Amino acid sequence: MTREQITKATEDAASWEHHRSKVCENDGDMAAIKGAIQAHKEWRRIGYVMAEENMETYNPDADPTVQRWRREDAERQAAENAAQHHATENTSEQPAASDPRTQTVRTALARAGLHRLDDDDHQAVEQLAALLDDATLRRVADWLERTREAALQQAAGRPQRPAYRRPRPDSWPQRT
């Protein structure tokens, strides 16, 4: 795109942002407003990059921010591949589970992030699986999965459930 096209796109995005900010009735409208704001910011950023890099037409290969994003994506993908490879290696080192109940516990532990289990851990898993009935075993696996999901949300910076706040004593209903 040329500078004129970028300028036109920036003006259109600003107009759309202004229009969307006038109408806010539900969560969908808020999402649309956020999208309009992001689009306007991105067009302004591209215009700035074109001015700084003296580009006549926009080239993402010459955009330092796009290059950084690509580098971060490649690093993240490499880290994910390494983690997946590491998890695959560790699960292949585990002894084969003869009991599906034992395998249920091992799978839940592996998904929760506990990949390396020593001999005592394997024995404890077998004993746990032998002691618990099927419903309780599924409940333990569910706890581990919820723990994993909460850890992933926390790592991603997403808020957890709001903390319970005890009401102040002065706001308690008065007995009459």
Side-chain angles (χ1 to χ4, degrees):
M1 295 179 79
T2 65
R3 287 184 187 199
E4 293 79 27
Q5 291 170 324
I6 297 293
T7 302
K8 174 75 171 109
T10 304
E11 291 169 357
D12 291 346
S15 173
W16 182 245
E17 177 184 357
H18 179 74
H19 171 72
R20 291 306 300 174
S21 66
K22 300 270 185 205
V23 180
C24 183
E25 296 178 0
N26 57 35
D27 290 339
D29 291 337
M30 283 303 296
I33 290 170
K34 287 179 183 177
I37 291 169
Q38 287 289 30
H40 187 205
K41 281 182 182 179
E42 181 61 12
W43 284 118
R44 287 188 317 203
R45 186 194 68 76
I46 290 172
Y48 176 78
V49 167
M50 287 183 71
E52 286 296 309
E53 300 292 327
N54 293 323
M55 293 183 200
E56 288 302 317
T57 59
Y58 178 69
N59 180 5
D61 294 332
D63 187 338
T65 304
V66 172
Q67 295 306 314
R68 188 187 79 233
W69 290 339
R70 289 177 181 169
R71 200 172 40 253
E72 289 171 354
D73 286 345
E75 290 169 358
R76 189 186 75 251
Q77 184 65 34
E80 288 174 2
N81 289 342
Q84 187 177 20
H85 178 71
H86 181 70
T88 304
E89 282 182 353
N90 289 334
T91 55
S92 64
E93 293 173 359
Q94 292 178 354
S98 57
D99 183 13
R101 296 162 47 87
T102 304
Q103 187 59 38
T104 300
V105 176
R106 283 194 181 129
T107 301
L109 288 170
R111 286 187 52 80
L114 301 173
H115 300 291
R116 294 187 183 260
L117 302 177
D118 60 19
D119 291 336
D120 292 336
D121 295 331
H122 289 295
Q123 185 178 4
V125 166
E126 289 174 11
Q127 290 175 352
L128 179 67
L131 289 174
L132 300 177
D133 62 292
D134 289 340
T136 306
L137 193 63
R138 282 192 301 271
R139 192 71 177 155
V140 169
D142 182 54
W143 290 341
L144 289 168
E145 182 64 22
R146 283 191 283 163
T147 301
R148 173 184 169 270
E149 289 172 3
L152 290 174
Q153 286 180 353
Q154 187 175 17
R158 292 189 208 124
Q160 300 294 314
R161 290 185 195 165
Y164 173 76
R165 293 199 176 140
R166 187 177 198 167
R168 294 188 329 250
D170 59 0
S171 68
W172 293 351
Q174 300 296 321
R175 289 188 176 171
T176 55

Short mmCIF file of all heavy atoms in Angstrom, two decimals, residues 102-142:
data_model
loop_
_atom_site.label_atom_id
_atom_site.label_comp_id
_atom_site.label_asym_id
_atom_site.label_seq_id
_atom_site.Cartn_x
_atom_site.Cartn_y
_atom_site.Cartn_z
N THR A 102 -4.77 -46.73 36.55
CA THR A 102 -3.44 -46.19 36.81
C THR A 102 -3.06 -45.21 35.71
O THR A 102 -2.50 -44.14 35.97
CB THR A 102 -2.39 -47.32 36.90
OG1 THR A 102 -2.81 -48.24 37.89
CG2 THR A 102 -1.02 -46.79 37.22
N GLN A 103 -3.39 -45.58 34.47
CA GLN A 103 -3.08 -44.70 33.35
C GLN A 103 -3.85 -43.38 33.44
O GLN A 103 -3.33 -42.33 33.09
CB GLN A 103 -3.40 -45.39 32.02
CG GLN A 103 -2.94 -44.61 30.81
CD GLN A 103 -1.44 -44.35 30.82
OE1 GLN A 103 -0.66 -45.21 31.22
NE2 GLN A 103 -1.04 -43.17 30.40
N THR A 104 -5.06 -43.41 33.98
CA THR A 104 -5.85 -42.19 34.17
C THR A 104 -5.13 -41.23 35.10
O THR A 104 -5.02 -40.03 34.82
CB THR A 104 -7.24 -42.52 34.75
OG1 THR A 104 -7.92 -43.39 33.85
CG2 THR A 104 -8.07 -41.28 34.99
N VAL A 105 -4.60 -41.75 36.20
CA VAL A 105 -3.88 -40.90 37.17
C VAL A 105 -2.59 -40.38 36.54
O VAL A 105 -2.26 -39.19 36.66
CB VAL A 105 -3.59 -41.67 38.47
CG1 VAL A 105 -2.76 -40.83 39.42
CG2 VAL A 105 -4.88 -42.09 39.14
N ARG A 106 -1.85 -41.24 35.83
CA ARG A 106 -0.59 -40.80 35.21
C ARG A 106 -0.84 -39.73 34.16
O ARG A 106 -0.09 -38.76 34.06
CB ARG A 106 0.12 -42.00 34.57
CG ARG A 106 0.80 -42.87 35.57
CD ARG A 106 1.75 -43.83 34.90
NE ARG A 106 2.37 -44.65 35.92
CZ ARG A 106 2.42 -45.97 35.88
NH1 ARG A 106 1.93 -46.62 34.86
NH2 ARG A 106 2.99 -46.63 36.85
N THR A 107 -1.89 -39.89 33.37
CA THR A 107 -2.22 -38.89 32.36
C THR A 107 -2.58 -37.56 33.01
O THR A 107 -2.14 -36.51 32.57
CB THR A 107 -3.38 -39.39 31.47
OG1 THR A 107 -3.00 -40.62 30.86
CG2 THR A 107 -3.74 -38.37 30.41
N ALA A 108 -3.38 -37.61 34.06
CA ALA A 108 -3.76 -36.37 34.77
C ALA A 108 -2.54 -35.69 35.36
O ALA A 108 -2.40 -34.46 35.29
CB ALA A 108 -4.79 -36.68 35.85
N LEU A 109 -1.62 -36.46 35.93
CA LEU A 109 -0.40 -35.88 36.49
C LEU A 109 0.47 -35.28 35.38
O LEU A 109 1.03 -34.19 35.55
CB LEU A 109 0.39 -36.94 37.26
CG LEU A 109 -0.21 -37.38 38.59
CD1 LEU A 109 0.54 -38.59 39.13
CD2 LEU A 109 -0.19 -36.25 39.59
N ALA A 110 0.56 -35.96 34.25
CA ALA A 110 1.37 -35.44 33.15
C ALA A 110 0.77 -34.15 32.62
O ALA A 110 1.49 -33.19 32.34
CB ALA A 110 1.48 -36.48 32.04
N ARG A 111 -0.55 -34.07 32.47
CA ARG A 111 -1.19 -32.85 31.98
C ARG A 111 -1.05 -31.72 32.98
O ARG A 111 -1.01 -30.56 32.60
CB ARG A 111 -2.65 -33.10 31.66
CG ARG A 111 -2.82 -33.89 30.38
CD ARG A 111 -4.25 -34.01 29.93
NE ARG A 111 -5.00 -32.78 29.83
CZ ARG A 111 -4.94 -31.91 28.82
NH1 ARG A 111 -4.15 -32.16 27.82
NH2 ARG A 111 -5.68 -30.83 28.81
N ALA A 112 -0.96 -32.06 34.28
CA ALA A 112 -0.78 -31.03 35.30
C ALA A 112 0.66 -30.54 35.36
O ALA A 112 0.97 -29.59 36.06
CB ALA A 112 -1.21 -31.56 36.66
N GLY A 113 1.56 -31.20 34.64
CA GLY A 113 2.95 -30.75 34.58
C GLY A 113 3.93 -31.63 35.32
O GLY A 113 5.11 -31.31 35.40
N LEU A 114 3.49 -32.75 35.86
CA LEU A 114 4.38 -33.66 36.57
C LEU A 114 4.77 -34.80 35.63
O LEU A 114 4.11 -35.84 35.59
CB LEU A 114 3.71 -34.20 37.84
CG LEU A 114 3.27 -33.13 38.84
CD1 LEU A 114 2.46 -33.75 39.95
CD2 LEU A 114 4.49 -32.42 39.41
N HIS A 115 5.82 -34.59 34.87
CA HIS A 115 6.21 -35.57 33.86
C HIS A 115 7.17 -36.62 34.40
O HIS A 115 7.08 -37.79 34.07
CB HIS A 115 6.87 -34.87 32.66
CG HIS A 115 5.96 -33.89 31.99
ND1 HIS A 115 4.84 -34.27 31.29
CD2 HIS A 115 5.99 -32.54 31.95
CE1 HIS A 115 4.23 -33.22 30.82
NE2 HIS A 115 4.90 -32.14 31.21
N ARG A 116 8.11 -36.20 35.20
CA ARG A 116 9.13 -37.12 35.69
C ARG A 116 8.72 -37.71 37.04
O ARG A 116 8.74 -37.03 38.05
CB ARG A 116 10.47 -36.41 35.82
CG ARG A 116 11.03 -35.99 34.49
CD ARG A 116 12.44 -35.43 34.67
NE ARG A 116 12.92 -34.96 33.40
CZ ARG A 116 13.75 -35.66 32.63
NH1 ARG A 116 14.17 -36.83 33.03
NH2 ARG A 116 14.15 -35.18 31.49
N LEU A 117 8.36 -38.96 37.02
CA LEU A 117 7.99 -39.65 38.25
C LEU A 117 9.04 -40.71 38.52
O LEU A 117 9.42 -41.45 37.63
CB LEU A 117 6.61 -40.31 38.10
CG LEU A 117 5.44 -39.39 37.75
CD1 LEU A 117 4.17 -40.20 37.57
CD2 LEU A 117 5.25 -38.34 38.83
N ASP A 118 9.50 -40.78 39.79
CA ASP A 118 10.47 -41.82 40.12
C ASP A 118 9.73 -43.10 40.51
O ASP A 118 8.50 -43.17 40.45
CB ASP A 118 11.44 -41.35 41.22
CG ASP A 118 10.73 -40.97 42.51
OD1 ASP A 118 9.57 -41.39 42.69
OD2 ASP A 118 11.34 -40.29 43.35
N ASP A 119 10.47 -44.12 40.90
CA ASP A 119 9.86 -45.42 41.19
C ASP A 119 8.85 -45.32 42.33
O ASP A 119 7.79 -45.96 42.29
CB ASP A 119 10.94 -46.44 41.53
CG ASP A 119 11.79 -46.79 40.32
OD1 ASP A 119 11.28 -46.63 39.19
OD2 ASP A 119 12.95 -47.21 40.49
N ASP A 120 9.18 -44.55 43.37
CA ASP A 120 8.25 -44.38 44.48
C ASP A 120 6.95 -43.72 44.02
O ASP A 120 5.86 -44.07 44.48
CB ASP A 120 8.88 -43.55 45.61
CG ASP A 120 10.01 -44.30 46.30
OD1 ASP A 120 10.02 -45.54 46.24
OD2 ASP A 120 10.88 -43.62 46.88
N ASP A 121 7.08 -42.75 43.10
CA ASP A 121 5.89 -42.08 42.57
C ASP A 121 5.01 -43.06 41.79
O ASP A 121 3.79 -43.04 41.92
CB ASP A 121 6.28 -40.90 41.68
CG ASP A 121 6.99 -39.79 42.44
OD1 ASP A 121 6.72 -39.64 43.65
OD2 ASP A 121 7.82 -39.09 41.82
N HIS A 122 5.64 -43.90 40.97
CA HIS A 122 4.87 -44.88 40.20
C HIS A 122 4.13 -45.84 41.14
O HIS A 122 2.97 -46.19 40.90
CB HIS A 122 5.79 -45.66 39.26
CG HIS A 122 6.29 -44.85 38.11
ND1 HIS A 122 5.46 -44.36 37.13
CD2 HIS A 122 7.54 -44.43 37.80
CE1 HIS A 122 6.18 -43.67 36.26
NE2 HIS A 122 7.45 -43.70 36.64
N GLN A 123 4.81 -46.24 42.20
CA GLN A 123 4.18 -47.13 43.17
C GLN A 123 3.00 -46.43 43.86
O GLN A 123 1.94 -47.01 44.06
CB GLN A 123 5.20 -47.59 44.21
CG GLN A 123 4.65 -48.62 45.18
CD GLN A 123 5.72 -49.08 46.17
OE1 GLN A 123 6.83 -48.58 46.18
NE2 GLN A 123 5.35 -50.04 47.00
N ALA A 124 3.18 -45.16 44.20
CA ALA A 124 2.11 -44.40 44.85
C ALA A 124 0.91 -44.24 43.91
O ALA A 124 -0.23 -44.34 44.34
CB ALA A 124 2.63 -43.02 45.27
N VAL A 125 1.18 -44.03 42.61
CA VAL A 125 0.10 -43.91 41.64
C VAL A 125 -0.68 -45.22 41.56
O VAL A 125 -1.92 -45.23 41.54
CB VAL A 125 0.65 -43.51 40.25
CG1 VAL A 125 -0.38 -43.71 39.16
CG2 VAL A 125 1.13 -42.07 40.27
N GLU A 126 0.02 -46.34 41.53
CA GLU A 126 -0.64 -47.64 41.47
C GLU A 126 -1.49 -47.88 42.73
O GLU A 126 -2.62 -48.38 42.64
CB GLU A 126 0.39 -48.75 41.29
CG GLU A 126 1.01 -48.75 39.90
CD GLU A 126 2.14 -49.76 39.76
OE1 GLU A 126 2.31 -50.61 40.66
OE2 GLU A 126 2.85 -49.69 38.75
N GLN A 127 -0.95 -47.53 43.89
CA GLN A 127 -1.71 -47.70 45.13
C GLN A 127 -2.94 -46.80 45.17
O GLN A 127 -4.02 -47.21 45.60
CB GLN A 127 -0.81 -47.45 46.35
CG GLN A 127 0.23 -48.52 46.56
CD GLN A 127 1.18 -48.17 47.70
OE1 GLN A 127 1.14 -47.08 48.23
NE2 GLN A 127 2.02 -49.13 48.06
N LEU A 128 -2.77 -45.56 44.72
CA LEU A 128 -3.88 -44.63 44.68
C LEU A 128 -4.99 -45.14 43.77
O LEU A 128 -6.17 -45.15 44.13
CB LEU A 128 -3.41 -43.25 44.20
CG LEU A 128 -4.47 -42.16 44.10
CD1 LEU A 128 -4.98 -41.79 45.48
CD2 LEU A 128 -3.89 -40.94 43.41
N ALA A 129 -4.60 -45.62 42.60
CA ALA A 129 -5.59 -46.14 41.65
C ALA A 129 -6.30 -47.37 42.21
O ALA A 129 -7.49 -47.58 41.96
CB ALA A 129 -4.92 -46.46 40.32
N ALA A 130 -5.59 -48.18 42.97
CA ALA A 130 -6.19 -49.39 43.54
C ALA A 130 -7.15 -49.04 44.68
O ALA A 130 -8.16 -49.73 44.86
CB ALA A 130 -5.10 -50.33 44.04
N LEU A 131 -6.86 -47.98 45.42
CA LEU A 131 -7.68 -47.64 46.58
C LEU A 131 -8.98 -46.91 46.22
O LEU A 131 -9.98 -47.05 46.91
CB LEU A 131 -6.88 -46.76 47.55
CG LEU A 131 -5.77 -47.44 48.33
CD1 LEU A 131 -4.98 -46.40 49.11
CD2 LEU A 131 -6.34 -48.50 49.25
N LEU A 132 -8.94 -46.12 45.16
CA LEU A 132 -10.08 -45.26 44.85
C LEU A 132 -11.08 -45.94 43.92
O LEU A 132 -10.70 -46.68 43.02
CB LEU A 132 -9.59 -43.97 44.19
CG LEU A 132 -8.64 -43.11 45.02
CD1 LEU A 132 -8.19 -41.91 44.21
CD2 LEU A 132 -9.29 -42.66 46.31
N ASP A 133 -12.35 -45.62 44.15
CA ASP A 133 -13.36 -46.11 43.23
C ASP A 133 -13.34 -45.24 41.97
O ASP A 133 -12.69 -44.20 41.93
CB ASP A 133 -14.74 -46.10 43.89
CG ASP A 133 -15.17 -44.71 44.28
OD1 ASP A 133 -14.54 -44.13 45.20
OD2 ASP A 133 -16.12 -44.19 43.67
N ASP A 134 -14.04 -45.64 40.93
CA ASP A 134 -13.98 -44.95 39.64
C ASP A 134 -14.43 -43.49 39.74
O ASP A 134 -13.80 -42.60 39.16
CB ASP A 134 -14.84 -45.67 38.60
CG ASP A 134 -14.22 -46.99 38.17
OD1 ASP A 134 -13.01 -47.17 38.37
OD2 ASP A 134 -14.96 -47.83 37.62
N ALA A 135 -15.49 -43.23 40.46
CA ALA A 135 -16.00 -41.85 40.58
C ALA A 135 -14.99 -40.94 41.27
O ALA A 135 -14.74 -39.81 40.83
CB ALA A 135 -17.32 -41.83 41.34
N THR A 136 -14.37 -41.43 42.34
CA THR A 136 -13.38 -40.63 43.06
C THR A 136 -12.13 -40.43 42.21
O THR A 136 -11.54 -39.35 42.20
CB THR A 136 -13.01 -41.31 44.39
OG1 THR A 136 -14.21 -41.56 45.12
CG2 THR A 136 -12.08 -40.45 45.22
N LEU A 137 -11.77 -41.45 41.47
CA LEU A 137 -10.60 -41.35 40.59
C LEU A 137 -10.84 -40.28 39.51
O LEU A 137 -9.94 -39.47 39.23
CB LEU A 137 -10.32 -42.71 39.94
CG LEU A 137 -8.98 -42.87 39.26
CD1 LEU A 137 -7.86 -42.73 40.28
CD2 LEU A 137 -8.91 -44.23 38.61
N ARG A 138 -12.03 -40.27 38.94
CA ARG A 138 -12.36 -39.24 37.96
C ARG A 138 -12.34 -37.85 38.60
O ARG A 138 -11.93 -36.87 37.99
CB ARG A 138 -13.73 -39.51 37.33
CG ARG A 138 -13.71 -40.59 36.26
CD ARG A 138 -15.01 -40.63 35.48
NE ARG A 138 -16.17 -40.87 36.31
CZ ARG A 138 -16.64 -42.08 36.62
NH1 ARG A 138 -16.04 -43.16 36.16
NH2 ARG A 138 -17.70 -42.21 37.41
N ARG A 139 -12.79 -37.76 39.85
CA ARG A 139 -12.81 -36.48 40.56
C ARG A 139 -11.38 -35.96 40.79
O ARG A 139 -11.11 -34.78 40.59
CB ARG A 139 -13.53 -36.66 41.90
CG ARG A 139 -13.86 -35.40 42.58
CD ARG A 139 -14.96 -34.71 41.84
NE ARG A 139 -15.32 -33.51 42.56
CZ ARG A 139 -15.86 -32.48 42.00
NH1 ARG A 139 -16.17 -32.49 40.74
NH2 ARG A 139 -16.14 -31.42 42.70
N VAL A 140 -10.48 -36.84 41.18
CA VAL A 140 -9.07 -36.45 41.37
C VAL A 140 -8.47 -35.98 40.05
O VAL A 140 -7.77 -34.96 40.00
CB VAL A 140 -8.26 -37.62 41.98
CG1 VAL A 140 -6.77 -37.34 41.93
CG2 VAL A 140 -8.69 -37.89 43.41
N ALA A 141 -8.75 -36.70 38.96
CA ALA A 141 -8.25 -36.29 37.64
C ALA A 141 -8.83 -34.93 37.26
O ALA A 141 -8.12 -34.09 36.70
CB ALA A 141 -8.60 -37.35 36.60
N ASP A 142 -10.10 -34.68 37.60
CA ASP A 142 -10.73 -33.40 37.32
C ASP A 142 -10.06 -32.29 38.12
O ASP A 142 -9.84 -31.19 37.61
CB ASP A 142 -12.23 -33.47 37.64
CG ASP A 142 -12.94 -32.17 37.32
OD1 ASP A 142 -12.82 -31.70 36.17
OD2 ASP A 142 -13.62 -31.63 38.22
#
